[in-house]
């Protein structure tokens, strides 16, 4: 081979030494046969390159020169031998060590990050982190905890006056929590500025309110399952198993990474050699890296083992806020479980302060305080005063409907006489109600109410009227039985059929001043508790929903009763117990099932009875015995089936109010003229064809309703009714109106109910007179 060729060949061979994964050279062996049978192939370059003479062997002083087959494929022989020996002679661990590390790393990465990508877990984690950050930064959190810290500092200032507020807060004692696996004592380090802490604008209040709703819904959803905990445990177990496997097989195979490797290849026909000695160029590096890798994996594996120990040693599916409750004084922070508890345990490993601030949004007390603050900002005293109005009892009333609570600003309206709360949950009546010196009436309609002891003392002395609307008798406020000065009690509620049979109220015996009791329900008998107050009760109203009221003998004990209402009680006869109520002045039997009132004769013993209401029944006739009710002043007989009016009815000459509308009456007896005190007379919606002239002798008549009958002529004598101010004649067959209507000076156009065309039949001066104010 020429020197030029050799020089040209040395460059690729040196380049190959630096780039190939393995470098192989022929291995010298003792000749046992002719050179024609020399072992395995090396590289063709070796046969063409002269080798230095071998050193004499002590056992064989004869020097044997290694010679291979000479070809022009030196570079190809090197590459071929290197590749064959790399694949056949090198151990797989030495070859694929980098790839194993890569695969192991990917497995660890998947184990550690899969739960951050899986929809069922990642969504919870991301949502939790988002809510947690907002709760941590919320001004309401700072304000709520500042109030607690401010209270603590005041207590400490009493003990150590020389310490400032900040030091008092930071030096607070850290309570030890027995059997608690939650928050550690890490007090918040901030200075309480009450002027700043108390200020929370409307926008911040609304944001905090929204946070409460988010936390409540998030807790409800996350506490139902433990997918996060289960997935974290499984991935940790998988990492521990992976760690043990890696340590085991790497420890066993790391010795297989060798710098020199023997390689036997039967290709001597190609190169003239069979035995080769190879150098693994990366062996030294791989050997060092494998030991380093084992060290790192060991550290990672020990961390996984500690995590596994942490998972199973502690109950991570339960989280107690006991320490937070003790530190903040917010006693209603609930303990949590399942995934919610697990996430809080995890966040504690980062910073327990997050859990402490987050706990504020789990407290109903904190939420109620926020609602109260927002409520006070929304309902200012000036805005509340705009809602004041006079009620049926002629008291200045403030109605509040469907609010989130009771504003504290209500108690700044000192002129308030009646407070009406409707559909308001979790009402707390504070001691500041004592500022309402004029308060006499309280209405609670579908409200759950708690009351401060000082407020109860105030109501005991001042409250006169209480109205309660309830869905279940057990919702009645128990403190109402202590209102010793209460005069009027109105109870409105619905009871199930089974309960109503045996309905009982708590004892009303202590209500010594009670005069009026009204029960609107579906009771089947008068409760025994009512009998306890019967001796001083003056008015009782029972309004049923159609449930039949039986066992009315208890009415006899109500000797001082002056007004009695039994409405929609499915009564078929007038109860005999009523006739024993000698002090009775008003009786209302509206919307029952009365068909006959023959018992009306017994009313003659009720000499004080002035008002009788028998309307909305099925009464077909009025018995003549009604003439014995000489003290009767107001008679309500509308919406019945009466066809004939007995003349004896008009012997009750004290009647001032007579309502006979919506019956089947065809004739009005002339004896009606006897009723000289009559102020109101109505026969609307009957079948009357003519009116007796004697009707116009009732000169005190102010209201006359004769509409929707069969009248065709209106007598000119109507001009005698000088006090008439309301006249309903619409719906008859009149063609003209008498001009004598002009003599009714009190009658104006607004009080005349008539068709417009018929009104035009009056003389113009009469029309002008009526239109004039």
């Amino acid at each position: 081979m020429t020197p030029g060729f050799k020089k040209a060949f040395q460059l690729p061979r040196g380049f190959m030494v630096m780039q190939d994964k393995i470098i192989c050279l022929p291995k010298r062996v003792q000749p046992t046969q002719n050179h024609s049978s020399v072992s395995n192939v090396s590289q063709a370059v070796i046969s063409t390159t002269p080798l230095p003479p071998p050193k004499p062997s002590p056992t064989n002083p004869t020097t044997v020169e290694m010679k291979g087959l000479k070809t022009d494929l030196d570079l190809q022989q090197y590459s071929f031998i290197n590749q064959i020996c790399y694949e056949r002679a090198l151990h797989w661990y030495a070859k694929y060590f980098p790839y194993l590390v890569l695969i192991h790393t990917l497995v660890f990465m998947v184990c550690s990050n899969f739960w951050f990508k899986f929809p069922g877990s990642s969504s919870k984690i991301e949502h939790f982190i988002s809510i947690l950050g907002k709760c941590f930064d919320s001004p309401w959190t700072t304000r709520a905890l500042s109030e607690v810290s401010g209270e603590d500092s005041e207590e400490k200032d009493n003990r150590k006056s020389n310490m400032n507020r900040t030091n008092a807060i930071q030096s607070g004692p850290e309570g030890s929590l027995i059997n608690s696996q939650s928050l550690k004592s890490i007090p918040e380090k901030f200075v309480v500025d009450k002027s700043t802490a108390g200020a929370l604008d409307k926008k911040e209040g609304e944001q905090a309110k929204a946070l409460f709703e988010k936390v409540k819904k998030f807790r409800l959803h996350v506490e139902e399952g433990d997918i996060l905990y289960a997935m974290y445990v499984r991935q940790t177990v998988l990492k521990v198993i992976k760690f043990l496997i890696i340590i085991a097989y790497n420890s066993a195979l790391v010795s297989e990474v060798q710098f020199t490797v023997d390689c036997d290849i039967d290709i001597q026909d190609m190169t003239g050699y069979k035995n080769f000695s190879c150098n693994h160029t990366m062996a030294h590096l791989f050997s060092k890296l494998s030991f380093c890798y084992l060290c790192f994996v060991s550290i990672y594996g020990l961390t996984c083992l500690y995590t596994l120990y942490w998972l199973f040693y502690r109950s991570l599916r339960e989280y107690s806020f006991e320490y937070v409750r003790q530190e903040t004084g917010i006693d209603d922070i609930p303990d949590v479980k399942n995934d919610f508890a697990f996430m809080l345990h995890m966040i504690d490993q980062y910073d327990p302060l997050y859990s402490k601030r987050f706990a504020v949004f789990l407290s109903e007390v904190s939420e109620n305080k926020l609602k109260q603050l927002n409520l006070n900002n929304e309902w200012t005293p000036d805005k509340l005063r705009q809602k004041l109005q006079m009620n049926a009892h002629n008291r200045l009333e403030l109605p509040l409907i469907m609010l989130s609570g009771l504003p504290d600003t209500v108690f700044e309206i000192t002129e308030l006489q009646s407070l009406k709360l409707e559909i308001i949950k979790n009402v707390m009546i504070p001691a500041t109600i004592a500022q309402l010196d004029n308060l006499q009436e309280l209405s609670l309609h579908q409200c759950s109410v708690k009351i401060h002891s000082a407020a109860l003392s105030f109501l005991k002395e001042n409250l006169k009227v209480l109205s309660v609307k309830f869905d279940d008798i057990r919702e009645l406020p128990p403190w109402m039985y202590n209102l010793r000065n209460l005069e009027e009690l109105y109870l409105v509620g619905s009871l199930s059929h089974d309960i109503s049979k045996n309905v009982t109220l708590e004892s009303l015996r202590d209500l010594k001043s009670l005069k009026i009791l009204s029960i609107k329900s579906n009771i089947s008998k008068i409760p025994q508790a009512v009998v306890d107050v019967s001796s001083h009760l003056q008015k009782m109203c029972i309004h049923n929903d159609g449930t039949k009221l039986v066992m009315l003998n208890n009415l006899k004990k109500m000797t001082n009763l002056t007004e009695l209402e039994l409405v929609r009680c499915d009564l078929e006869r007038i109860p005999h117990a009523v006739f024993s109520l000698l002090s009775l002045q008003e009786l209302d039997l509206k919307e029952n099932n009365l068909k006959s009132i023959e018992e009306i004769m017994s009313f003659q013993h009720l000499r004080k009875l002035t008002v009788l209401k028998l309307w909305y029944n099925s009464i077909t006739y009025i018995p003549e015995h009604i003439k014995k009710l000489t003290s009767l002043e107001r008679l309500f007989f509308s919406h019945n089936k009466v066809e004939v009016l007995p003349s004896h009815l008009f012997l009750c000459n004290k009647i001032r109010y007579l309502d006979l509308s919506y019956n089947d009456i065809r004739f009005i007896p002339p004896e009606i003229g006897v009723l000289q005190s009559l102020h109101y007379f109505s026969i609307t919606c009957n079948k009357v064809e003519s009116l007796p002239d004697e009707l116009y002798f009732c000169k005190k008549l102010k209201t006359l309703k004769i509409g929707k009958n069969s009248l065709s002529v209106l007598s000119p004598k109507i001009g005698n009714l000088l006090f008439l101010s309301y006249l309903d004649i619409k719906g008859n067959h009149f063609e003209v109106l008498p001009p004598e209507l002009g003599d009714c000076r009190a009658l104006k156009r607004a009080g005349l109910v008539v068709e417009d065309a018929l009104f035009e039949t009056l003389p113009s001066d009469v029309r002008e007179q009526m239109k004039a104010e």
Side-chain angles (χ1 to χ4, degrees):
M1 183 178 297
T2 64
F5 178 81
K6 290 180 179 180
K7 185 176 180 180
F9 180 72
Q10 288 174 355
L11 180 61
R13 185 171 58 182
F15 179 76
M16 181 174 58
V17 170
M18 292 187 298
Q19 296 296 324
D20 282 355
K21 300 174 182 177
I22 191 170
I23 304 298
C24 297
L25 293 175
K27 183 178 181 182
R28 178 182 296 175
V29 296
Q30 296 298 327
T32 56
Q33 57 184 5
N34 296 331
H35 282 286
S36 59
S37 60
V38 176
S39 307
N40 274 329
V41 181
S42 177
Q43 300 172 3
V45 199
I46 302 174
S47 63
T48 60
T49 305
L51 296 174
K55 294 181 180 180
S57 173
T59 58
N60 187 7
T62 306
T63 301
V64 180
E65 183 181 358
M66 297 179 63
K67 294 182 179 180
L69 298 179
K70 293 183 179 181
T71 66
D72 294 329
L73 301 174
D74 292 356
L75 181 60
Q76 289 80 352
Q77 287 180 10
Y78 272 112
S79 297
F80 182 76
I81 297 301
N82 290 346
Q83 293 297 327
I84 290 295
C85 289
Y86 181 79
E87 295 296 334
R88 295 186 180 181
L90 197 63
H91 194 274
W92 65 269
Y93 179 77
K95 288 189 293 185
Y96 302 121
F97 174 75
Y99 303 104
L100 291 174
V101 173
L102 177 61
I103 293 172
H104 296 159
T105 304
L106 292 176
V107 171
F108 282 128
M109 289 178 61
V110 170
C111 290
S112 300
N113 294 281
F114 177 73
W115 73 325
F116 292 116
K117 305 300 180 183
F118 184 69
S121 56
S122 63
S123 58
K124 292 182 180 179
I125 296 173
E126 291 174 2
H127 197 47
F128 176 70
I129 297 300
S130 174
I131 293 178
L132 190 68
K134 292 178 181 178
C135 292
F136 188 88
D137 298 329
S138 173
W140 172 250
T141 313
T142 303
R143 183 184 188 276
L145 294 176
S146 295
E147 290 179 351
V148 176
S149 299
E151 293 171 1
D152 292 343
S153 65
E154 291 175 2
E155 294 176 1
K156 294 168 186 176
D157 284 342
N158 292 333
R159 295 193 301 267
K160 301 183 75 174
S161 59
N162 60 338
M163 296 181 63
N164 58 41
R165 178 180 295 178
T166 305
N167 292 334
I169 296 172
Q170 295 180 354
S171 62
E174 298 183 3
S176 59
L177 184 61
I178 301 175
N179 295 328
S180 176
Q181 300 174 354
S182 63
L183 199 61
K184 297 180 180 179
S185 176
I186 297 186
E188 296 194 56
K189 300 180 181 179
F190 49 80
V191 178
V192 179
D193 184 354
K194 288 192 174 182
S195 62
T196 304
L200 195 70
D201 61 30
K202 184 176 181 181
K203 182 179 180 181
E204 292 172 342
E206 291 298 326
Q207 290 175 348
K209 182 180 178 181
L211 271 179
F212 272 105
E213 292 297 325
K214 287 182 179 179
V215 171
K216 191 179 298 182
K217 291 180 180 179
F218 182 75
R219 178 192 172 195
L220 182 65
H221 175 67
V222 174
E223 274 195 312
E224 294 178 353
D226 58 355
I227 183 174
L228 288 178
Y229 177 79
M231 189 173 291
Y232 191 78
V233 169
R234 290 168 186 169
Q235 76 172 25
T236 306
V237 171
L238 183 59
K239 287 190 288 186
V240 169
I241 294 174
K242 182 69 175 175
F243 152 71
L244 295 175
I245 293 174
I246 291 173
I247 293 296
Y249 87 80
N250 274 271
S251 300
L253 298 178
V254 69
S255 60
E256 298 293 337
V257 182
Q258 298 177 356
F259 186 74
T260 59
V261 180
D262 291 334
C263 177
D264 298 333
I265 307 176
D266 190 11
I267 55 172
Q268 61 186 23
D269 293 339
M270 180 185 300
T271 64
Y273 299 103
K274 181 178 181 182
N275 300 324
F276 297 89
S277 180
C278 302
N279 175 23
H280 184 198
T281 58
M282 303 296 292
H284 183 72
L285 178 62
F286 283 1
S287 178
K288 300 301 181 184
L289 289 177
S290 63
F291 283 109
C292 292
Y293 178 65
L294 287 174
C295 292
F296 288 131
V297 171
S298 298
I299 295 173
Y300 184 80
L302 292 175
T303 304
C304 293
L305 286 173
Y306 171 76
T307 303
L308 201 61
Y309 164 79
W310 180 70
L311 284 171
F312 290 106
Y313 175 74
R314 304 183 62 178
S315 179
L316 300 183
R317 284 188 288 187
E318 295 179 358
Y319 188 93
S320 173
F321 285 101
E322 181 62 27
Y323 174 77
V324 183
R325 291 193 288 265
Q326 292 178 0
E327 186 182 69
T328 63
I330 306 176
D331 297 329
D332 69 325
I333 300 176
D335 295 336
V336 296
K337 58 184 180 179
N338 289 335
D339 278 348
F340 201 10
F342 176 65
M343 284 189 287
L344 288 170
H345 279 292
M346 294 290 286
I347 203 63
D348 277 352
Q349 300 304 306
Y350 172 71
D351 188 351
L353 186 58
Y354 278 90
S355 296
K356 178 180 177 181
R357 295 176 72 88
F358 184 76
V360 171
F361 288 86
L362 292 172
S363 166
E364 289 187 8
V365 170
S366 178
E367 183 178 9
N368 292 336
K369 286 183 179 179
L370 175 65
K371 289 180 179 178
Q372 192 66 39
L373 183 63
N374 290 337
L375 204 61
N376 295 340
N377 292 336
E378 180 181 0
W379 293 96
T380 61
D382 292 338
K383 185 176 180 180
L384 290 174
R385 282 189 173 89
Q386 295 176 3
K387 293 178 65 66
L388 291 175
Q389 59 188 25
M390 299 300 294
N391 65 5
H393 296 89
N394 200 30
R395 293 190 178 100
L396 192 60
E397 182 177 83
L398 175 62
L400 299 176
I401 303 175
M402 297 183 69
L403 298 184
S404 58
L406 181 61
D408 293 331
T409 50
V410 169
F411 308 113
E412 298 179 19
I413 308 176
T414 55
E415 67 271 24
L416 190 64
Q417 295 176 310
S418 174
L419 179 60
K420 182 178 181 181
L421 308 178
E422 187 170 353
I423 317 179
I424 302 177
K425 301 299 181 183
N426 301 320
V427 175
M428 178 63 188
I429 300 180
T432 50
I433 196 174
Q435 299 174 192
L436 305 180
D437 297 330
N438 298 314
L439 185 66
Q440 297 181 358
E441 184 175 349
L442 179 62
S443 299
L444 306 173
H445 292 182
Q446 295 180 343
C447 298
S448 55
V449 180
K450 296 180 181 179
I451 187 169
H452 192 275
S453 57
L456 180 58
S457 300
F458 170 79
L459 294 179
K460 281 182 181 180
E461 300 296 331
N462 295 272
L463 199 63
K464 303 296 182 183
V465 182
L466 175 63
S467 176
V468 182
K469 186 175 181 180
F470 57 92
D471 293 327
D472 192 303
I473 197 169
R474 289 168 291 188
E475 297 178 4
L476 287 173
W479 47 265
M480 76 176 187
Y481 306 108
N482 299 320
L483 303 176
R484 57 192 177 202
N485 288 331
L486 193 67
E487 296 180 358
E488 301 179 24
L489 178 60
Y490 299 88
L491 304 178
V492 182
S494 177
L495 302 172
S496 66
H497 181 68
D498 294 334
I499 297 177
S500 63
K501 290 182 179 179
N502 300 308
V503 63
T504 57
L505 295 171
E506 295 289 341
S507 177
L508 300 175
R509 192 176 293 110
D510 294 334
L511 305 183
K512 301 296 184 180
S513 302
L514 192 64
K515 297 178 181 179
I516 299 176
L517 176 61
S518 175
I519 303 176
K520 293 185 178 181
S521 185
N522 58 345
I523 60 176
S524 58
K525 64 178 182 179
I526 298 177
Q528 181 61 34
V530 177
V531 181
D532 295 338
V533 294
S534 60
S535 59
H536 49 83
L537 205 61
Q538 295 181 4
K539 178 180 179 179
M540 188 179 74
C541 307
I542 297 180
H543 291 220
N544 266 359
D545 62 349
T547 302
K548 190 175 183 63
L549 186 64
V550 296
M551 299 177 63
L552 295 173
N553 290 333
N554 289 336
L555 289 175
K556 295 179 180 179
K557 299 180 181 180
M558 302 180 185
T559 55
N560 294 320
L561 206 63
T562 59
E563 297 182 36
L564 176 63
E565 294 182 9
L566 302 176
V567 178
R568 298 190 68 187
C569 295
D570 195 25
L571 301 177
E572 296 180 357
R573 313 283 292 186
I574 299 177
H576 289 282
V578 174
F579 307 132
S580 302
L581 306 177
L582 300 182
S583 300
L584 195 65
Q585 297 177 10
E586 296 186 20
L587 176 63
D588 187 354
L589 300 177
K590 180 182 179 181
E591 293 187 70
N592 281 284
N593 195 24
L594 299 177
K595 297 180 180 178
S596 173
I597 53 172
E598 288 294 339
E599 302 88 348
I600 203 171
M601 181 178 181
S602 300
F603 279 144
Q604 62 182 325
H605 304 294
L606 307 181
R607 301 186 182 279
K608 296 182 180 180
L609 186 66
T610 58
V611 179
L612 180 60
K613 298 180 179 180
L614 299 172
W615 47 353
Y616 294 88
N617 280 282
S618 301
I619 301 172
T620 56
Y621 71 98
I622 302 175
E624 295 181 357
H625 307 300
I626 198 171
K627 65 183 179 180
K628 297 184 179 295
L629 305 183
T630 55
S631 60
L632 198 64
E633 296 181 2
R634 305 179 71 188
L635 178 61
F636 294 77
F637 235 108
S638 64
H639 296 84
N640 277 285
K641 299 179 180 179
V642 177
E643 296 182 0
V644 178
L645 285 180
S647 57
H648 297 81
L649 170 64
F650 305 107
L651 295 179
C652 303
N653 53 14
K654 292 184 179 180
I655 290 180
R656 296 185 295 109
Y657 186 105
L658 181 58
D659 187 358
L660 300 170
S661 58
Y662 294 90
N663 279 281
D664 296 325
I665 299 172
R666 295 179 179 273
F667 176 72
I668 304 296
E671 287 80 1
I672 193 174
V674 177
L675 304 180
Q676 291 297 304
S677 300
L678 192 64
H679 287 71
Y680 180 100
F681 181 60
S682 175
I683 55 171
T684 303
C685 288
N686 278 280
K687 300 177 181 179
V688 179
E689 297 180 356
S690 63
L691 294 175
D693 291 340
E694 288 77 4
L695 174 64
Y696 306 110
F697 295 163
C698 304
K699 295 185 179 181
K700 294 183 179 181
L701 200 63
K702 296 180 180 180
T703 301
L704 178 61
K705 296 182 179 181
I706 57 177
K708 298 181 181 179
N709 278 280
S710 300
L711 299 172
S712 57
V713 177
L714 184 61
S715 173
K717 294 183 179 181
I718 197 171
N720 296 333
L721 305 179
L722 301 179
F723 298 100
L724 189 67
S725 60
Y726 188 90
L727 176 62
D728 180 6
I729 57 177
K730 190 175 183 178
N732 284 284
H733 306 302
F734 298 128
E735 295 182 357
V736 294
L737 294 179
E740 285 78 7
L741 274 176
D743 297 334
C744 302
R745 297 294 181 178
L747 185 63
K748 301 299 179 181
R749 180 65 182 95
L752 178 60
V753 182
V754 65
E755 293 85 353
D756 292 338
L758 193 58
F759 178 74
E760 296 298 327
T761 63
L762 288 171
S764 60
D765 58 333
V766 175
R767 295 198 307 269
E768 293 298 328
Q769 172 189 322
M770 289 187 175
K771 291 179 180 179
E773 293 295 335

